[in-house]
Amino acid sequence: MNELLELKNLTVEYKSIKDDIKSTVVAVNDVSLKIYGGEIYALAGESGCGKSTLAKSVMKLVSTKNGEILFEGKNILNQNSYEKSLYPKNVQMIFQNPYSSLNPKMKIKQILQEPLDINTKLKQAEKDELIEKVLDDVGLTCECLNLYPHEFSGGQRQRIAIARALILNPKLIIADEPVSALDASIQAQIINLLKDLRLKRNLTILFISHDMNVIKYLADRTGIMCEGKLVEENYTSTLFKLPKEEYTKKLLSSIPSLIYS
């Protein structure tokens, strides 16, 4: 398998002030990992362990202190202007909360067309065709295009957010806790949708979650984060059967019986 994304010694720090005292919080601490084309790689750990910060650093939404982020062998932190313009087309993100990740003042067609307007020079008919196809891929119809986000359920909103992430036909999708804000029955639908889209569109997915139950069902390989560090990594089936680190064992001991099938 070819390496699509590689992180080398990635470190991300935040500055904080408490009681007029400045301090530094190391959110991601010297993390190195590889994600191969076509796989679903899960990053797991408790809330606050650095998973989402790592995801945001790959999306260049937060600054890094040290390390490299290599996409198809090129360091995205040291790119020329042309390479920078290509990166958003290849890497997109699905955020945790569909209630806040969609602009409430924009109709669904505007939401889906905006990435095409910014990143392509397609004609309107070509944009309409792509929008229709991506809606079909996520299980929605064109009847939703003239509606606003508040007119949909949480699960439908997340399908719209997934459609927006797919509209540029990226190679890598970063899904940051994409089902944690949804009801259990809807979670299963979205998880199965991601699994199907991975095959249908030949996607690579970095799946961020604290839910080991979901990860066991979905991921090919899993990395475990604790206090900003990657403490263990393995094929998911092996990691669940033969965890090495005590932290991983405690994490796995907390999961209920598998609910997805």
Side-chain angles (χ1 to χ4, degrees):
M1 293 185 292
N2 295 325
E3 295 169 14
L4 185 67
L5 179 73
E6 182 178 4
L7 309 183
K8 290 184 176 181
N9 309 112
L10 187 69
T11 299
V12 181
E13 295 182 350
Y14 291 130
K15 304 295 182 181
S16 66
I17 300 177
K18 185 177 182 180
D19 299 328
D20 295 326
I21 299 175
K22 295 182 179 180
S23 62
T24 299
V25 177
V26 182
V28 178
N29 190 354
D30 197 34
V31 171
S32 296
L33 61 83
K34 295 179 181 180
I35 298 176
Y36 298 97
E39 76 170 341
I40 298 179
Y41 183 100
L43 204 56
E46 297 173 299
S47 296
C49 71
K51 307 184 304 293
S52 292
T53 297
L54 185 147
K56 290 174 182 177
S57 68
V58 174
M59 287 298 301
K60 302 176 75 172
L61 296 176
V62 298
S63 300
T64 59
K65 178 177 176 59
N66 291 314
E68 296 178 287
I69 302 173
L70 304 176
F71 183 79
E72 294 186 320
K74 296 182 179 179
N75 187 0
I76 68 166
L77 303 178
N78 186 27
Q79 293 179 316
N80 59 41
S81 58
Y82 175 70
E83 290 171 330
K84 287 179 180 178
S85 69
L86 291 178
Y87 189 66
K89 297 179 184 179
N90 287 315
V91 182
Q92 288 289 310
M93 190 166 184
I94 303 165
F95 294 91
Q96 178 176 355
N97 192 340
Y99 295 90
S100 60
S101 65
L102 301 175
N103 189 329
K105 296 183 179 181
M106 295 175 69
K107 292 183 177 180
I108 303 310
K109 184 170 183 179
Q110 294 173 299
I111 289 172
L112 297 180
Q113 186 171 309
E114 185 178 40
L116 297 173
D117 290 340
I118 294 171
N119 294 282
T120 75
K121 296 181 180 180
L122 297 174
K123 297 178 180 179
Q124 187 59 49
E126 294 171 313
K127 294 176 185 177
D128 291 343
E129 184 178 347
L130 286 174
I131 289 171
E132 182 177 351
K133 184 179 186 306
V134 79
L135 283 175
D136 182 64
D137 283 351
V138 299
L140 296 172
T141 68
C142 291
E143 294 175 357
C144 74
L145 290 175
N146 289 319
L147 302 178
Y148 291 92
H150 74 270
E151 298 180 83
F152 296 88
S153 67
Q156 289 172 322
R157 281 205 268 284
Q158 196 62 297
R159 288 175 187 269
I160 293 165
I162 293 170
R164 180 181 58 185
L166 294 175
I167 195 69
L168 293 173
N169 196 29
K171 296 179 180 179
L172 174 67
I173 289 286
I174 299 173
D176 185 13
E177 300 273 11
V179 297
S180 63
L182 304 176
D183 293 338
S185 61
I186 305 301
Q187 286 184 15
Q189 294 177 21
I190 298 301
I191 290 299
N192 283 319
L193 174 62
L194 290 174
K195 197 169 187 178
D196 292 342
L197 288 170
R198 175 257 193 108
L199 298 175
K200 188 172 185 177
R201 285 179 167 255
N202 192 30
L203 284 172
T204 304
I205 300 176
L206 171 56
F207 188 84
I208 311 292
S209 182
H210 65 275
D211 191 332
M212 300 304 293
N213 204 6
V214 173
I215 287 171
K216 183 178 182 180
Y217 173 70
L218 187 66
D220 300 303
R221 291 191 302 131
T222 298
I224 304 295
M225 286 192 71
C226 179
E227 297 182 349
K229 295 183 177 182
L230 186 69
V231 296
E232 186 167 355
E233 181 185 52
N234 213 327
Y235 289 102
T236 303
S237 58
T238 304
L239 185 139
F240 273 73
K241 292 176 182 177
L242 298 169
K244 296 178 180 179
E245 299 295 324
E246 284 302 316
Y247 175 77
T248 306
K249 294 175 183 177
K250 290 179 182 178
L251 205 60
L252 294 177
S253 68
S254 69
I255 65 174
S257 59
L258 195 64
I259 62 174
Y260 300 108
S261 61

mmCIF file of all heavy atoms in Angstrom, residues 103-119:
data_model
loop_
_atom_site.group_PDB
_atom_site.id
_atom_site.type_symbol
_atom_site.label_atom_id
_atom_site.label_comp_id
_atom_site.label_asym_id
_atom_site.label_seq_id
_atom_site.Cartn_x
_atom_site.Cartn_y
_atom_site.Cartn_z
ATOM 1 N N ASN A 103 -23.647 26.586 7.592
ATOM 2 C CA ASN A 103 -24.070 27.978 7.705
ATOM 3 C C ASN A 103 -25.601 28.050 7.681
ATOM 4 O O ASN A 103 -26.228 27.703 6.680
ATOM 5 C CB ASN A 103 -23.497 28.793 6.544
ATOM 6 C CG ASN A 103 -23.705 30.287 6.718
ATOM 7 O OD1 ASN A 103 -24.681 30.728 7.323
ATOM 8 N ND2 ASN A 103 -22.806 31.077 6.175
ATOM 9 N N PRO A 104 -26.231 28.526 8.756
ATOM 10 C CA PRO A 104 -27.697 28.526 8.809
ATOM 11 C C PRO A 104 -28.347 29.501 7.838
ATOM 12 O O PRO A 104 -29.554 29.405 7.577
ATOM 13 C CB PRO A 104 -27.984 28.922 10.264
ATOM 14 C CG PRO A 104 -26.793 29.708 10.693
ATOM 15 C CD PRO A 104 -25.628 29.071 9.987
ATOM 16 N N LYS A 105 -27.560 30.432 7.288
ATOM 17 C CA LYS A 105 -28.110 31.436 6.375
ATOM 18 C C LYS A 105 -28.003 31.023 4.915
ATOM 19 O O LYS A 105 -28.464 31.745 4.027
ATOM 20 C CB LYS A 105 -27.400 32.779 6.585
ATOM 21 C CG LYS A 105 -27.625 33.381 7.962
ATOM 22 C CD LYS A 105 -26.946 34.736 8.082
ATOM 23 C CE LYS A 105 -27.201 35.354 9.457
ATOM 24 N NZ LYS A 105 -26.556 36.700 9.587
ATOM 25 N N MET A 106 -27.383 29.885 4.664
ATOM 26 C CA MET A 106 -27.194 29.425 3.291
ATOM 27 C C MET A 106 -28.099 28.234 2.999
ATOM 28 O O MET A 106 -28.264 27.345 3.828
ATOM 29 C CB MET A 106 -25.724 29.031 3.058
ATOM 30 C CG MET A 106 -24.755 30.190 3.149
ATOM 31 S SD MET A 106 -23.019 29.657 3.009
ATOM 32 C CE MET A 106 -22.958 29.158 1.292
ATOM 33 N N LYS A 107 -28.674 28.218 1.792
ATOM 34 C CA LYS A 107 -29.431 27.057 1.357
ATOM 35 C C LYS A 107 -28.462 25.923 1.023
ATOM 36 O O LYS A 107 -27.273 26.153 0.800
ATOM 37 C CB LYS A 107 -30.289 27.404 0.142
ATOM 38 C CG LYS A 107 -31.419 28.386 0.449
ATOM 39 C CD LYS A 107 -32.282 28.639 -0.779
ATOM 40 C CE LYS A 107 -33.445 29.563 -0.436
ATOM 41 N NZ LYS A 107 -34.317 29.834 -1.612
ATOM 42 N N ILE A 108 -28.984 24.719 0.960
ATOM 43 C CA ILE A 108 -28.124 23.555 0.769
ATOM 44 C C ILE A 108 -27.366 23.639 -0.550
ATOM 45 O O ILE A 108 -26.174 23.281 -0.618
ATOM 46 C CB ILE A 108 -28.942 22.249 0.835
ATOM 47 C CG1 ILE A 108 -29.700 22.162 2.170
ATOM 48 C CG2 ILE A 108 -28.034 21.042 0.653
ATOM 49 C CD1 ILE A 108 -28.869 22.406 3.398
ATOM 50 N N LYS A 109 -28.002 24.141 -1.590
ATOM 51 C CA LYS A 109 -27.296 24.265 -2.868
ATOM 52 C C LYS A 109 -26.109 25.204 -2.744
ATOM 53 O O LYS A 109 -25.036 24.947 -3.295
ATOM 54 C CB LYS A 109 -28.230 24.746 -3.971
ATOM 55 C CG LYS A 109 -27.526 24.793 -5.327
ATOM 56 C CD LYS A 109 -28.467 25.042 -6.484
ATOM 57 C CE LYS A 109 -27.711 24.993 -7.809
ATOM 58 N NZ LYS A 109 -28.606 25.214 -8.970
ATOM 59 N N GLN A 110 -26.277 26.302 -2.015
ATOM 60 C CA GLN A 110 -25.166 27.239 -1.819
ATOM 61 C C GLN A 110 -24.033 26.590 -1.025
ATOM 62 O O GLN A 110 -22.855 26.797 -1.334
ATOM 63 C CB GLN A 110 -25.671 28.481 -1.066
ATOM 64 C CG GLN A 110 -26.665 29.332 -1.842
ATOM 65 C CD GLN A 110 -27.252 30.435 -0.976
ATOM 66 O OE1 GLN A 110 -27.896 30.173 0.048
ATOM 67 N NE2 GLN A 110 -27.025 31.672 -1.375
ATOM 68 N N ILE A 111 -24.410 25.799 -0.019
ATOM 69 C CA ILE A 111 -23.409 25.129 0.817
ATOM 70 C C ILE A 111 -22.572 24.159 -0.015
ATOM 71 O O ILE A 111 -21.344 24.095 0.124
ATOM 72 C CB ILE A 111 -24.096 24.404 1.981
ATOM 73 C CG1 ILE A 111 -24.642 25.421 2.982
ATOM 74 C CG2 ILE A 111 -23.126 23.436 2.676
ATOM 75 C CD1 ILE A 111 -25.509 24.813 4.067
ATOM 76 N N LEU A 112 -23.244 23.404 -0.885
ATOM 77 C CA LEU A 112 -22.535 22.399 -1.680
ATOM 78 C C LEU A 112 -21.792 23.019 -2.860
ATOM 79 O O LEU A 112 -20.770 22.483 -3.300
ATOM 80 C CB LEU A 112 -23.524 21.342 -2.181
ATOM 81 C CG LEU A 112 -24.221 20.510 -1.104
ATOM 82 C CD1 LEU A 112 -25.167 19.508 -1.745
ATOM 83 C CD2 LEU A 112 -23.206 19.794 -0.226
ATOM 84 N N GLN A 113 -22.291 24.118 -3.357
ATOM 85 C CA GLN A 113 -21.660 24.726 -4.527
ATOM 86 C C GLN A 113 -20.468 25.606 -4.166
ATOM 87 O O GLN A 113 -19.562 25.799 -4.980
ATOM 88 C CB GLN A 113 -22.692 25.553 -5.304
ATOM 89 C CG GLN A 113 -22.140 26.116 -6.623
ATOM 90 C CD GLN A 113 -23.220 26.740 -7.489
ATOM 91 O OE1 GLN A 113 -24.251 26.125 -7.745
ATOM 92 N NE2 GLN A 113 -22.979 27.967 -7.938
ATOM 93 N N GLU A 114 -20.451 26.124 -2.952
ATOM 94 C CA GLU A 114 -19.378 27.039 -2.563
ATOM 95 C C GLU A 114 -17.973 26.463 -2.775
ATOM 96 O O GLU A 114 -17.100 27.159 -3.337
ATOM 97 C CB GLU A 114 -19.560 27.467 -1.105
ATOM 98 C CG GLU A 114 -18.557 28.522 -0.666
ATOM 99 C CD GLU A 114 -18.794 28.957 0.766
ATOM 100 O OE1 GLU A 114 -19.104 28.085 1.610
ATOM 101 O OE2 GLU A 114 -18.655 30.155 1.050
ATOM 102 N N PRO A 115 -17.680 25.197 -2.364
ATOM 103 C CA PRO A 115 -16.334 24.667 -2.632
ATOM 104 C C PRO A 115 -16.004 24.591 -4.120
ATOM 105 O O PRO A 115 -14.850 24.776 -4.516
ATOM 106 C CB PRO A 115 -16.387 23.259 -2.013
ATOM 107 C CG PRO A 115 -17.485 23.315 -1.016
ATOM 108 C CD PRO A 115 -18.499 24.244 -1.589
ATOM 109 N N LEU A 116 -17.015 24.328 -4.951
ATOM 110 C CA LEU A 116 -16.801 24.278 -6.402
ATOM 111 C C LEU A 116 -16.528 25.664 -6.956
ATOM 112 O O LEU A 116 -15.686 25.838 -7.844
ATOM 113 C CB LEU A 116 -18.027 23.668 -7.085
ATOM 114 C CG LEU A 116 -18.349 22.218 -6.717
ATOM 115 C CD1 LEU A 116 -19.680 21.797 -7.323
ATOM 116 C CD2 LEU A 116 -17.241 21.290 -7.177
ATOM 117 N N ASP A 117 -17.218 26.659 -6.435
ATOM 118 C CA ASP A 117 -16.998 28.041 -6.878
ATOM 119 C C ASP A 117 -15.580 28.504 -6.548
ATOM 120 O O ASP A 117 -14.936 29.200 -7.342
ATOM 121 C CB ASP A 117 -18.006 28.983 -6.212
ATOM 122 C CG ASP A 117 -19.427 28.779 -6.715
ATOM 123 O OD1 ASP A 117 -19.593 28.213 -7.812
ATOM 124 O OD2 ASP A 117 -20.363 29.189 -6.007
ATOM 125 N N ILE A 118 -15.098 28.105 -5.382
ATOM 126 C CA ILE A 118 -13.784 28.566 -4.914
ATOM 127 C C ILE A 118 -12.642 27.811 -5.585
ATOM 128 O O ILE A 118 -11.622 28.401 -5.949
ATOM 129 C CB ILE A 118 -13.682 28.421 -3.380
ATOM 130 C CG1 ILE A 118 -14.676 29.360 -2.695
ATOM 131 C CG2 ILE A 118 -12.257 28.706 -2.893
ATOM 132 C CD1 ILE A 118 -14.801 29.131 -1.202
ATOM 133 N N ASN A 119 -12.822 26.508 -5.779
ATOM 134 C CA ASN A 119 -11.697 25.649 -6.171
ATOM 135 C C ASN A 119 -11.704 25.182 -7.623
ATOM 136 O O ASN A 119 -10.750 24.532 -8.048
ATOM 137 C CB ASN A 119 -11.657 24.419 -5.267
ATOM 138 C CG ASN A 119 -11.334 24.765 -3.836
ATOM 139 O OD1 ASN A 119 -10.185 25.014 -3.482
ATOM 140 N ND2 ASN A 119 -12.358 24.793 -2.981
#
